[in-house]
Amino acid sequence: MNRTDLKSMTLSEIQAAFSGQPAFRALQVYRWLHKGVSSFDEMTDLPKSFRDRLAAEYYIATARIERKYCSKLDDTVKYLFRFNDGEMVESVLMSYHHGRTVCISTQAGCKMNCAFCATGKSGFSRNLTASEMLSQVQAAQLDAGERISNIVLMGMGEPLDNYEAVLRFLDLVSSKEGMNLGMRHISLSTCGVVDKIYDLANRKYQLTLSVSLHAPNDRIRSQLMPVNRKWNLEELLRACRYYAEMTGRRISFEYTVIDGVNDSAECAAELACRLRGILCHVNLIPVNHVSGSAFHKSSQERLHAFESALSNHGVNVTVRRTLGADIEASCGQLKRRHEEEVANVEDFQQK
Ligand code: SAH
């Protein structure tokens, strides 16, 4: 029999499933799940017979640490997590003065195929469940020994391409019987899945929407991001305007600065013009070089000239502080390296 994923269930779903049990049973189990236990035997205040019944019908999703890299430059920790079925994803734990932020993955791999991104290069494997997203937060929190104060859905995968599971995760992680994390402490990053941006806007959650823009026009954006051929910049920015109006939240535009591709003075002027009137902020991220890619970081001079040009045009802009630069702490880099190493070992063994 296929067992059911208990940790993806909301409290009311568990209550409905446990209808023959005492009323407090569901809440007891829910609390254990949200503390991050990995087996039913750890739920020590449940009768043994009930634990056995649960173990026969349900399973608890876990994220086990397969690899862990600690930056020597700052407190950033990068994890490669392994799920129950052996699938692996990356998460990054960052420390800021205001607390600990974990960046989690929403899919194993990605279908979006952005030209500069390591995740897309390894293809798409599967969607993660809500419980697997939660497990990344719990595992990082347990390992750090400190409460996670912020979550960003900015790891591997496109959150709005796994929308139902992401909504369920948001529901679970913000539930008051669970981690009780306010939506204001959560950011979701998308490459621009426009129909889902409208849906999210209508829900009026107070989360921060980050939009990966990376280009000031369709010509450059379509080269870098295939999703732009489905929803172009005008459609995307219209959805962003709507999101800001509906939620009152400022949009955070991510702009990966790539030498000679999107970092000219003309690009800055064009970008400023397109963003006029949108409640927003632009985050400039020097591109991380991915092996086999033709894209390189702009020089510091070019990066700062681009930043100043945007600022002079009235755009609210910052250059993102790089954390964990020595541990390849950006999207898909660690898993890709791990795969390459495993492939090398296999190669070696075959010889
Ligand atoms: N799919 C979502 C979230 C995952 S990617 C999205 O596209 O927003 C998280 C962020 O990292 C995105 O802004 C993405 O464009 C950026 N990114 C991916 N590869 C990068 C690289 N090599 N250098 C810099 N930023 C990169």
Side-chain angles (χ1 to χ4, degrees), residues 110 112 114 116-118 153-159 189-192 210-212 214 225 254 256 285-290 320 330-331 333:
C110 190
M112 299 298 147
C114 298
F116 45 81
C117 176
L153 278 67
M154 217 185 252
M156 301 171 73
E158 168 50 48
S189 180
T190 178
C191 63
S210 289
V211 175
S212 300
H214 305 327
M225 306 176 73
E254 309 291 311
T256 295
I285 314 157
V287 72
N288 274 297
H289 181 69
V290 169
R320 183 187 289 169
S330 53
C331 193
Q333 288 184 309

